[in-house]
Amino acid sequence: MHQGIAFRTAYLVTSSAEDAEEAAATAFLKAHQALARFRRGKPFRPWLLAIVMNEARNRRRSSGRHERLALRAAEERRPGDAAPSPEAAILEGERRRELLDAVERLPEEQRLAVLCRFFLDLGEAETADVLGVRKGTVKSRLSRGLARLRKELPDDA
C-alpha cells in the first residue's frame, strides 16, 4: 500500500534506483520493528515516510553519490494527453532537467521540503510530520527554496 510512495521518497533523496530500493526495504524493516512506538491515532504515512527519508539520507551521505536528480513521476503521462511534437518534447525535457538540477542544488533542508511538498504531493502538515519539524518551518523552508529557484531559473522555464 505504501511501497510506491516509499520508493519515490527514497529515490528523490538518493537519486539512485538501487539505493532507493535498499533504503525503502530497510525502512520497512525498521518501521516493522518500531511499530510498538507508533502512536495510535496519528497518521501512519508521515511516520513511515520519515523513517524512509532518514534511511535514504543516511544512504546518500554514506554512498557519497551526487548523481543528478531524476524522477519516475516526471516521466508519467496522464491518459489522453496528446503526444508533444519532437521539438516540444526536447524543450520540455530541457526545462525539466534545469528544474531538477536547480532543486538538487538547494540546501538539503529546503530541497527536502520542496521534494515532499511538490514532488511527492504531500500537504504542509504531512511534510512537517515527515521532516520532523513544525508546519511553520516547512512554510519558511518552502518560501526560501522557491525564492531561490525563481532567481536561478529563467522566467520561461
Side-chain angles (χ1 to χ4, degrees):
M1 180 173 172
H2 299 286
Q3 189 174 8
I5 194 161
F7 174 81
R8 287 194 317 267
T9 300
Y11 188 77
L12 287 170
V13 174
T14 64
S15 301
S16 162
E18 182 179 326
D19 286 344
E21 287 176 7
E22 290 177 18
T26 302
F28 276 111
L29 287 174
K30 287 182 177 182
H32 184 271
Q33 294 169 344
L35 272 176
R37 293 188 304 244
F38 176 69
R39 294 184 194 153
R40 291 186 189 265
K42 289 286 199 174
F44 180 77
R45 186 169 87 160
W47 179 78
L48 175 64
L49 293 181
I51 295 170
V52 171
M53 188 161 294
N54 286 334
E55 186 61 32
R57 272 198 236 154
N58 291 341
R59 286 204 179 273
R60 180 181 171 114
R61 281 188 207 116
S62 68
S63 71
R65 291 191 178 123
H66 295 287
E67 298 174 10
R68 290 187 167 171
L69 181 62
L71 300 172
R72 287 184 177 178
E75 299 300 328
E76 292 178 13
R77 291 204 172 276
R78 286 184 229 120
D81 281 355
S85 70
E87 296 84 7
I90 289 170
L91 286 175
E92 181 183 323
E94 288 174 2
R95 287 185 188 126
R96 183 182 313 121
R97 176 57 42 214
E98 287 174 10
L99 173 63
L100 296 175
D101 288 345
V103 169
E104 185 69 17
R105 288 189 297 272
L106 289 173
E108 183 176 16
E109 291 178 342
Q110 294 171 16
R111 182 173 55 84
L112 293 177
V114 168
L115 292 174
C116 284
R117 184 68 182 95
F118 298 107
F119 289 73
L120 295 175
D121 203 26
L122 300 179
E124 286 178 352
E126 278 185 312
T127 298
D129 288 345
V130 168
L131 298 177
V133 298
R134 295 176 186 246
K135 193 174 168 183
T137 303
V138 168
K139 287 182 178 185
S140 66
R141 288 179 183 177
L142 286 172
S143 177
R144 282 187 236 121
L146 293 174
R148 197 170 186 164
L149 290 173
R150 279 186 206 101
K151 279 184 183 178
E152 196 170 327
L153 295 172
D155 288 338
D156 63 340

